[in-house]
Amino acid sequence: MSETTSTQPPAGTVARRPDRWLVLGVICLVQLVVILDNTILNVALPSLADGLGASTAQIQWAVGAYSLAQAGLLIAAGGMADRYGRKKVQLIGLSLFGLGSLGATMAGDPGELIAARAGMGVGGSLLLATSLAIVVRTFEPDEQPKAITVWSAVASLGFALGPVIGGVLLAHFWWGSCFLVNLPVAALGLIAVARLVPESKDPRGARPDLLGVLLSSCGMVGVVYGIIQGPEAGWTAPRTLLAGGLGLLFLIGFMLWERRIEHPLLDLGFFRNARFRGAVSGGVLVSFGMGGSLFLLTQHLQFVLGYDPLQAGLRTAPMALTVVALNMTGVGMRLTAKLKPPVAIGLGLSLLACGLAAIAEFGHDGSYPGILLGLVLIGAGAACSQPAMAGSIMSSIPPEKAGVGSGLMGTLSELGNSLGVAVLGAVLTAGFTGALPAGVPSSAAGSLNQALAAAGPDLKKQVKSAFADSLTSSQLIGAVAVLVGGLLAAWLLGRAGAAQPPVAPAPSEEPVAQPG
């Protein structure tokens, strides 16, 4: 299909496309499915173990391979999108994601599933690295806050609805249905992106930073691998330390290299902007709080309150519904529009911390209404803070680097989610180990089921109580971390002073292409 190039708009604006909201709908649909696959397997793990005969370690890798590949390549994918074309990278990502989903559906053993999930993660990284960049390049500055609000709502919706959709599918179909649903979306996305999404790229695309891509990818993969393996293998285990240490060395090498070359993949000068640093730290904390809380909450609902996977998934839905209700009705946007970014982010993360604390305190004794209150507060906090953070990041960098900005947003989400699961999961395990009653070996603290199997009939009640106490402690620690970090992020943003207008695009940036 041929494309014609429109006359370049004045600096600081993009052409007002009549189909811009349709473009946003396509991008959000693709993003929704990619993010869903981060959490859709949470309730399918027992079915995977039975259907494929997978071990605990193999199940963990089926989940972790996706987020590992995704997080490891996001910054590199954003840089490649800026240089070679965001639409091209989006199409490649859709193809890889669809092929990976097909491979996962047809997997006959754990190894095939893990490989397919890694392929899905590579495709997902290309899609997430371009989604926000395409949104920013499609809308005029006056409409960008509203578009980013919708984009943020869909991100939260996908993250929280994963367990719900996974539970519904498993109630009626086999485990492969969790991947099969991706295929029609990938096919529809390929057609829609090819016809509707405008092309744009950095005019310096002829100068690829291949060493930067290699160093950033290896560094991120090493760090994320260490975070994923830490709770299971031990934080001082050789493979955890080796992976994390090598990852940090690669990232240090990446930063040194980026400071030397003329056209870096990631301009480290962005981090001198206090608004950028505040938004970055806030983004990690929102994902940390939401990822860690969902990880703990699904265990709380199933192991402590006795819900089945579908019931547990449905009871996490109010968090996503709150985000959608506030953002899609415009309430969240009108509220945050009246607040400066530091206030919006500080308020949002404070609400998120209060939600974690409410779940910990009111849900300890099996009170779902208390958990419901916490979920609503977490959703309100995300709806308030996420659009402000996304807007702060994207307005802090030049539009020709929009892919890098979009990739950074995705990287922050993946890192925060992995950190939330790893850190709060480690706190849970440590607390549960110390609280086990005498007679139950500490080696059984890996899960509640193991501990109950090792305990006699007289000790089961004490074991459940110890698990509930440990969950409460972990959730409170998460709440404190989010609150303190949120105040820090707001302070950093406050130092940046009044919000600055978005940076005008470079005069030589390739103009937006219209569909042919």
Side-chain angles (χ1 to χ4, degrees):
M1 181 179 299
S2 62
E3 292 183 339
T4 58
T5 303
S6 65
T7 304
Q8 185 170 352
T13 65
V14 292
R16 188 182 291 274
R17 297 170 53 95
D19 60 353
R20 59 195 180 281
W21 295 106
L22 184 57
V23 171
L24 177 63
V26 171
I27 295 301
C28 285
L29 176 64
V30 172
Q31 179 185 238
L32 176 66
V33 177
V34 173
I35 296 177
L36 273 175
D37 273 85
N38 279 291
T39 56
I40 199 170
L41 283 189
N42 286 357
V43 296
L45 301 185
S47 300
L48 283 175
D50 294 337
L52 293 178
S55 66
T56 300
Q58 289 171 328
I59 289 174
Q60 288 178 326
W61 270 110
V63 176
Y66 183 73
S67 58
L68 182 63
Q70 206 173 90
L73 297 174
L74 272 167
I75 293 178
M80 289 188 292
D82 286 336
R83 292 176 185 272
Y84 301 117
R86 293 151 195 143
K87 178 177 179 177
K88 292 186 182 70
V89 170
Q90 181 95 171
L91 291 171
I92 294 171
L94 278 165
S95 301
L96 291 176
F97 187 77
L99 289 173
S101 299
L102 179 62
T105 302
M106 301 174 64
D109 59 62
E112 292 178 0
L113 178 61
I114 292 169
R117 286 281 287 174
M120 290 173 62
V122 174
S125 71
L126 299 179
L127 295 172
L128 292 181
T130 50
S131 63
L132 185 56
I134 290 174
V135 170
V136 171
R137 298 300 300 147
T138 303
F139 286 84
E140 289 191 25
D142 63 314
E143 289 186 322
Q144 284 179 9
K146 185 175 182 180
I148 291 175
T149 297
V150 174
W151 177 89
S152 299
V154 171
S156 300
L157 180 66
F159 187 78
L161 284 187
V164 179
I165 294 177
V168 171
L169 290 172
L170 290 172
H172 298 92
F173 306 103
W174 94 116
W175 59 265
S177 62
C178 294
F179 309 110
L180 188 63
V181 295
N182 296 337
L183 298 180
V185 175
L188 176 63
L190 279 169
I191 297 172
V193 169
R195 292 187 60 87
L196 298 174
V197 172
E199 180 63 286
S200 62
K201 65 181 179 180
D202 185 340
R204 295 168 294 184
R207 303 180 179 89
D209 180 12
L210 297 180
L211 182 58
V213 169
L214 179 64
L215 290 173
S216 66
S217 300
C218 291
M220 290 299 301
V221 166
V223 169
V224 175
Y225 175 86
I227 292 172
I228 292 174
Q229 288 296 300
E232 178 69 20
W235 293 104
T236 58
R239 62 177 175 176
T240 304
L241 294 175
L242 180 62
L246 286 175
L248 288 174
L249 287 177
F250 276 116
L251 288 179
I252 291 171
F254 170 68
M255 289 187 288
L256 293 175
W257 172 249
E258 295 300 283
R259 294 179 63 180
R260 292 184 56 188
I261 63 174
E262 182 180 359
H263 301 294
L265 180 70
L266 174 62
D267 187 349
L268 299 179
F270 297 158
F271 290 92
R272 289 195 292 268
N273 186 315
R275 181 173 56 184
F276 182 83
R277 294 196 304 272
V280 163
S281 59
V284 172
L285 288 164
V286 167
S287 299
F288 178 95
M290 293 183 70
S293 65
L294 272 181
F295 172 74
L296 297 176
L297 183 58
T298 51
Q299 297 186 65
H300 193 152
L301 292 171
Q302 293 185 64
F303 295 145
V304 177
L305 302 186
Y307 296 119
D308 63 34
L310 176 56
Q311 291 172 331
L314 289 172
R315 280 166 175 78
T316 64
M319 178 171 66
L321 294 177
T322 301
V323 176
V324 173
L326 290 177
N327 281 338
M328 295 303 188
T329 60
V331 174
M333 186 184 70
R334 287 194 296 270
L335 175 63
T336 53
K338 296 178 180 179
L339 303 174
K340 293 182 178 180
V343 178
I345 291 175
L347 174 61
L349 291 177
S350 296
L351 288 172
L352 204 156
C354 290
L356 288 172
I359 290 174
E361 289 299 324
F362 300 138
H364 178 271
D365 297 321
S367 167
Y368 180 72
I371 293 175
L372 176 61
L373 172 63
L375 290 171
V376 171
L377 288 173
I378 290 174
C384 183
S385 58
Q386 279 187 319
M389 287 183 298
S392 293
I393 287 180
M394 298 306 289
S395 64
S396 299
I397 61 177
E400 67 268 17
K401 293 294 183 182
V404 170
S406 185
L408 274 173
M409 288 293 297
T411 301
L412 297 178
S413 178
E414 289 295 334
L415 275 179
N417 180 48
S418 298
L419 281 170
V421 171
V423 173
L424 297 187
V427 172
L428 170 63
T429 301
F432 188 37
T433 302
L436 283 175
V440 180
S442 59
S443 58
S447 72
L448 178 60
N449 287 338
Q450 291 178 3
L452 290 173
D458 296 336
L459 295 177
K460 287 188 175 182
K461 185 176 181 180
Q462 296 180 47
V463 168
K464 282 193 173 183
S465 178
F467 188 80
D469 290 341
S470 301
L471 273 172
T472 297
S473 300
S474 302
Q475 289 162 335
L476 286 174
I477 289 173
V480 172
V482 171
L483 178 60
V484 173
L487 296 176
L488 173 62
W491 176 73
L492 288 172
L493 282 165
R495 289 185 59 193
Q500 302 170 3
V503 181
S508 58
E509 182 170 0
E510 182 177 299
V512 177
Q514 303 292 337

